[in-house]
């Protein structure tokens, strides 16, 4: 494939629009990639786009991960087999409602400021690209592959305006082998495009928006005119839906209205649907938004996004509305029929084993004793939970306590009894623990609910999760605290031979047999409180009784014919006696 950017996009010498859709390979299990890619082509697209999250691929400094759900080369190869071009967005920061916007949490302990000329930060970017770029470079269209464009930085104009920083990022990409055209993407507003684009470096500017193609593209044209260049107009993120926050209704966008907005884009330029297939924020990868007005709001496990494909990869009404618009622009093109996968209900299964977290914590967590409380990043932990436990005698009597500078959600236990749950602005409020004995124990379980992925709090101290300040009894800090790291990347190490205590955080394990080939399904979590779920050792994500999603999606390729094991980590003290599989998601206001 030959690809060029002149006044238009040229594929093998022919001017053509890019019609692309975002599929994040890490939000869709590998067994579902083929369905997503096929359905993208069946909607009339010629390209697939994906972000590349740095924190997924380099979970610890110098330790790289490209297997399973992180197998980007395999995803690119599969797109090539379906004759889809690929747009890659490996910029160090991706936003994407992804934890810390894709930046690794370990940067919080090593560099002064992310997305800057800080030498420590740029050295980390260099090391990452030195590993990443040789893995993707062979797939560039300049070498006979299908990768046509690579992004330098993402919405940088909404963060800063340091052109030298952008130039250094471009140089690192080129140094390790990127040859295809480079681009930036920013909001379609003059100041953002001015701050984030790199026209002097011959880097294509693109715009992100959900409607108003004429005004957004006009701003894009103005930035090009300023540099005496004429290049094709492209909406790199056509926001055809939106993400959801815990406790709030799912946001929906009318298919007909969205299709009208799409038509306006295609009349003027090219498009990338954000999202085409949203997928799922598996494990603890969800991000969060935070503002002065609205406070801290973590995103939910489902990344359905009200996209053309639903969470499990099947076409929606919006899909067919978009397909019709694209067909109008290409009346002679024959689109294949989309793939529609089946979902099933496996009924109810009963719990076989249970144990309280406090009984088995030593078998599932590493521990360190420190004279001051440390956040999880200081212990080399990125995600999950951290449990703080007193190790020295308390002062007996009735005393007030407070948790100083902590994020994001705190549960305080006196022995095995829950005393208080605090989150956001509540953290730091004083609480009473009566009738203390010197031999009693205080435990504080802190959940990292997801790091902010966008805005002014991207570099806030609150991005460090756990207790930063300390645990105070009246006017003094408690010394010598045991820190248990609970990243819960898998469900191994749980000792179910130990005791279970009611109304405490606990693990519950279920086994059941599948006699036929597995199909997609959903776990109904409506009767539970809060926690996460493992399916055959894979963390499928968080659940929370406040919704809006009351189910967890289980892709078929996480299941197996024969024996399957599910482990639930429930933090609210709800006893999990049974689980029920259903064939459709259960959503607030849509039951």
């Amino acid at each position: 494939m030959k690809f060029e950017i002149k006044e238009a996009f040229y594929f093998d010498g022919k001017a053509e629009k890019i019609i692309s859709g975002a599929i994040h390979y890490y939000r869709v299990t590998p067994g579902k990639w083929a369905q997503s890619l096929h359905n993208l082509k069946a909607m009339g697209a010629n390209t697939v786009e994906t972000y590349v999250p740095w924190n997924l691929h380099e979970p610890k400094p110098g330790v790289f991960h490209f297997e399973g759900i992180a197998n980007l080369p395999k995803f690119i190869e599969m797109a090539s087999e379906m004759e889809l071009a690929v747009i890659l967005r490996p910029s160090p920061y991706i936003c994407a409602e992804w934890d810390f916007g894709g930046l690794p949490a370990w940067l919080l302990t090593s560099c002064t400021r992310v997305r800057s000329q800080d030498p420590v930060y740029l050295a980390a970017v260099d090391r990452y690209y030195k590993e990443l770029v040789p893995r993707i470079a062979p797939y560039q269209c300049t070498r006979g592959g299908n990768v046509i464009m690579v992004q330098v930085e993402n919405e940088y104009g909404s963060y800063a305006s340091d052109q030298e920083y952008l130039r250094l990022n471009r140089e690192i990409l080129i140094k390790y082998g990127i040859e295809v055209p480079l681009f930036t993407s920013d909001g379609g507003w003059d100041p953002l495009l001015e701050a984030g684009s790199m026209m002097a470096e011959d880097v294509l500017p693109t715009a992100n928006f959900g409607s108003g193609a004429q005004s957004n593209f006009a701003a894009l044209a103005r930035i090009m005119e300023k540099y005496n260049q004429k290049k094709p107009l492209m909406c790199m993120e056509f926001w055809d839906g939106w993400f959801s926050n815990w406790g709030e209704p799912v946001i929906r966008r009318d298919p007909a209205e969205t299709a009208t907005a799409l038509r306006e884009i295609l009349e003027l330029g090219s498009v990338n649907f954000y999202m085409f297939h949203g997928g799922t924020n598996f494990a603890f990868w969800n991000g969060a938004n935070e503002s002065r007005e609205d406070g801290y709001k973590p995103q939910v496990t489902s990344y359905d996004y009200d996209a053309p494909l639903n969470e499990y990869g099947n076409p929606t009404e919006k899909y067919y509305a978009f397909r019709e618009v694209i067909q109008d622009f290409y009346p002679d093109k024959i689109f294949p029929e989309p793939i529609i996968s089946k979902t099933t209900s496996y009924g109810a299964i009963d719990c076989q084993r249970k144990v309280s977290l406090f009984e088995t914590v030593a078998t599932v967590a590493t521990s360190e004793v420190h004279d001051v409380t440390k956040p999880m990043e200081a212990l080399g932990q990125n995600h999950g939970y951290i449990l703080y436990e007193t190790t020295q005698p308390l002062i007996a009597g009735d005393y007030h306590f407070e948790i100083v500078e902590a994020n994001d959600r705190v549960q305080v236990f006196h022995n095995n009894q829950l005393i208080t749950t605090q989150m956001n602005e509540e953290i730091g409020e004083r609480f009473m623990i009566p009738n203390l004995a010197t031999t009693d124990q205080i435990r504080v379980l802190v959940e990292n609910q997801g790091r902010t992925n966008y805005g002014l709090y991207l570099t806030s101290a609150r991005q460090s999760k756990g207790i930063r300040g300390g645990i105070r009894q009246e006017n003094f800090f408690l010394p010598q605290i045991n820190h248990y790291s609970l990243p819960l990347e898998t469900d191994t190490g749980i000792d179910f031979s130990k005791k279970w205590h009611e109304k405490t955080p606990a693990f519950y394990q279920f086994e059941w047999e599948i006699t036929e080939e597995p199909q997609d399904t959903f776990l109904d979590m409506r009767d539970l409180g809060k926690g996460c779920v493992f399916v055959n050792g894979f963390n499928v994500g968080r659940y929370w009784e406040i919704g809006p999603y009351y189910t967890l999606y289980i892709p078929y390729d996480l299941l197996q014919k024969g024996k399957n094991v599910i482990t639930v980590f429930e933090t609210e003290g709800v006893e999990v006696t049974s689980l029920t599989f259903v064939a459709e998601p259960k959503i607030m206001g849509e039951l």
Side-chain angles (χ1 to χ4, degrees):
M1 177 191 296
K2 184 180 180 182
F3 176 77
E4 298 175 283
I5 302 177
K6 299 178 181 178
E7 80 289 349
F9 296 118
Y10 284 84
F11 289 83
D12 295 326
K14 179 183 177 183
E16 191 171 344
K17 293 181 186 290
I18 292 176
I19 300 179
S20 175
I23 303 172
H24 295 163
Y25 56 98
Y26 45 91
R27 281 176 159 139
V28 182
T29 51
K32 299 285 289 186
W33 288 349
Q35 178 184 350
S36 299
L37 291 165
H38 172 90
N39 286 346
L40 177 60
K41 188 162 186 174
M43 198 178 77
N46 55 19
T47 304
V48 61
E49 174 271 323
T50 183
Y51 278 126
V52 181
W54 181 4
N55 52 10
L56 175 70
H57 292 298
E58 192 179 5
K60 295 185 183 298
V63 177
F64 296 97
H65 172 50
F66 288 91
E67 301 299 322
I69 208 164
N71 195 337
L72 174 58
K74 181 179 178 181
F75 181 79
I76 296 172
E77 290 170 4
M78 193 173 291
S80 178
E81 291 168 3
M82 297 194 186
E83 300 182 330
L84 287 168
V86 175
I87 296 173
L88 290 181
R89 303 172 76 182
S91 54
Y93 165 80
I94 64 172
C95 187
E97 291 73 62
W98 190 256
D99 184 75
F100 203 9
L103 296 163
W106 45 260
L107 288 172
L108 294 167
T109 64
S110 60
C111 71
T112 303
R113 189 176 182 87
V114 298
R115 305 180 79 189
S116 77
Q117 293 185 54
D118 173 15
V120 176
Y121 172 74
L122 288 176
V125 174
D126 188 283
R127 181 183 63 214
Y128 168 52
Y129 280 163
K130 184 178 181 180
E131 182 72 27
L132 173 69
V133 172
R135 294 176 181 269
I136 60 178
Y139 301 103
Q140 295 176 104
C141 60
T142 53
R143 304 186 190 183
N146 58 329
V147 173
I148 59 172
M149 290 199 294
V150 170
Q151 181 172 264
V152 177
E153 242 279 12
N154 183 56
E155 295 185 332
Y156 188 71
S158 297
Y159 179 78
S161 58
D162 185 350
Q163 286 292 308
E164 178 63 12
Y165 163 74
L166 291 175
R167 187 186 68 80
L168 291 169
N169 273 269
R170 174 181 175 273
E171 284 186 356
I172 298 171
L173 285 167
I174 293 172
K175 176 174 69 172
Y176 290 117
I178 293 299
E179 303 161 348
V180 295
L182 299 171
F183 71 94
T184 56
S185 62
D186 291 280
W189 183 31
D190 294 72
L192 303 186
L193 288 165
E194 182 70 37
S197 63
M198 303 176 67
M199 292 294 291
E201 304 282 347
D202 197 32
V203 173
L204 177 73
T206 64
N208 301 339
F209 55 86
S211 58
Q214 287 191 357
S215 61
N216 283 278
F217 277 157
L220 199 54
R222 283 193 294 272
I223 196 73
M224 293 180 187
E225 290 168 6
K226 182 176 179 178
Y227 289 87
N228 298 313
Q229 296 188 38
K230 181 174 176 57
K231 295 191 175 185
L233 302 173
M234 181 165 185
C235 177
M236 188 55 69
E237 291 188 12
F238 170 43
W239 301 320
D240 51 24
W242 208 245
F243 56 87
S244 298
N245 299 319
W246 289 110
E248 300 176 357
V250 170
I251 297 172
R252 301 292 188 193
R253 186 173 181 185
D254 179 70
E257 177 270 329
T258 318
T260 298
L262 169 63
R263 189 178 297 275
E264 293 172 355
I265 293 172
L266 290 178
E267 287 172 349
L268 299 169
S270 293
V271 69
N272 177 53
F273 297 95
Y274 192 96
M275 296 291 298
F276 171 71
H277 182 190
T280 308
N281 292 316
F282 294 116
F284 304 124
W285 286 114
N286 67 279
N289 276 356
E290 188 170 8
S291 67
R292 294 189 186 95
E293 299 77 18
D294 299 327
Y296 169 79
K297 292 187 175 183
Q299 282 109 38
V300 302
T301 298
S302 172
Y303 199 64
D304 176 270
Y305 209 86
D306 195 33
L309 295 188
N310 58 26
E311 184 175 8
Y312 42 108
N314 284 348
T316 65
E317 182 182 349
K318 192 175 289 182
Y319 176 95
Y320 293 106
F322 289 174
R323 194 171 191 251
E324 184 176 332
V325 170
I326 297 169
Q327 186 77 76
D328 287 345
F329 281 85
Y330 300 92
D332 297 329
K333 189 175 181 180
I334 298 175
F335 298 169
E337 287 303 307
I339 295 172
I340 300 174
S341 60
K342 293 181 179 180
T343 63
T344 193
S345 167
Y346 288 106
I349 56 176
D350 294 327
C351 178
Q352 277 91 32
R353 290 172 289 277
K354 59 186 180 180
V355 63
S356 289
L357 168 66
F358 303 147
E359 292 287 337
T360 191
V361 66
T363 69
V364 297
T366 58
S367 65
E368 300 177 14
V369 176
H370 296 280
D371 62 341
V372 296
T373 56
K374 294 180 178 291
M376 60 174 56
E377 297 81 7
L379 306 178
Q381 179 184 347
N382 296 329
H383 306 105
Y385 304 78
I386 184 167
L387 179 69
Y388 301 87
E389 182 181 83
T390 56
T391 62
Q392 292 192 350
L394 300 166
I395 299 176
D398 300 340
Y399 287 102
H400 287 96
F401 287 77
E402 59 187 312
I403 309 301
V404 182
E405 295 181 2
N407 291 91
D408 294 304
R409 188 171 188 265
V410 168
Q411 292 173 286
V412 181
F413 295 86
H414 171 213
N415 297 333
N416 286 329
Q417 180 182 355
L418 177 66
I419 299 299
T420 185
T421 300
Q422 298 179 348
M423 56 192 300
N424 302 331
E425 67 278 357
E426 300 170 339
I427 295 177
E429 293 179 359
R430 301 181 81 201
F431 53 89
M432 169 69 73
I433 301 182
N435 304 317
L436 273 172
T438 58
T439 56
D440 286 354
Q441 202 161 45
I442 305 298
R443 297 186 181 96
V444 184
L445 182 64
V446 184
E447 179 187 1
N448 170 0
Q449 292 190 291
R451 293 180 184 85
T452 300
N453 56 262
Y454 178 82
L456 73 164
Y457 293 111
L458 186 71
T459 56
S460 167
R462 294 193 285 270
Q463 296 284 57
S464 289
K465 304 302 183 179
I467 303 177
R468 297 182 301 279
I471 305 170
R472 281 176 35 115
Q473 181 179 6
E474 292 299 343
N475 295 321
F476 60 87
F477 288 98
L478 297 179
Q480 298 299 304
I481 303 295
N482 203 351
H483 298 56
Y484 290 99
S485 292
L486 290 159
L488 296 188
E489 294 170 348
T490 183
D491 58 351
T492 58
I494 304 169
D495 187 350
F496 284 102
S497 69
K498 295 183 179 293
K499 294 181 180 179
W500 173 83
H501 303 284
E502 64 177 4
K503 298 182 179 179
T504 63
F507 295 98
Y508 300 84
Q509 196 164 84
F510 302 75
E511 294 180 5
W512 93 107
E513 295 278 333
I514 295 180
T515 57
E516 305 290 338
E517 290 302 317
Q519 293 182 338
D520 292 350
T521 189
F522 298 82
L523 270 177
D524 190 339
M525 312 304 287
R526 282 178 289 180
D527 294 332
L528 305 188
K530 194 177 195 305
C532 62
V533 174
F534 300 86
V535 176
N536 292 325
F538 183 92
N539 188 335
V540 296
R542 311 175 202 256
Y543 65 90
W544 197 356
E545 60 188 342
I546 65 174
Y549 287 86
Y550 301 120
T551 46
L552 282 175
Y553 168 53
I554 313 297
Y556 82 92
D557 53 327
L558 295 182
L559 301 171
Q560 56 198 18
K561 190 175 180 180
K563 178 183 173 182
N564 292 265
V565 178
I566 287 186
T567 304
V568 177
F569 178 52
E570 163 65 48
T571 64
E572 307 307 287
V574 176
E575 183 178 1
V576 187
T577 58
S578 64
L579 290 174
T580 301
F581 295 94
V582 293
E584 299 290 338
K586 306 296 182 184
I587 302 172
M588 178 190 295
E590 302 178 16
L591 294 173

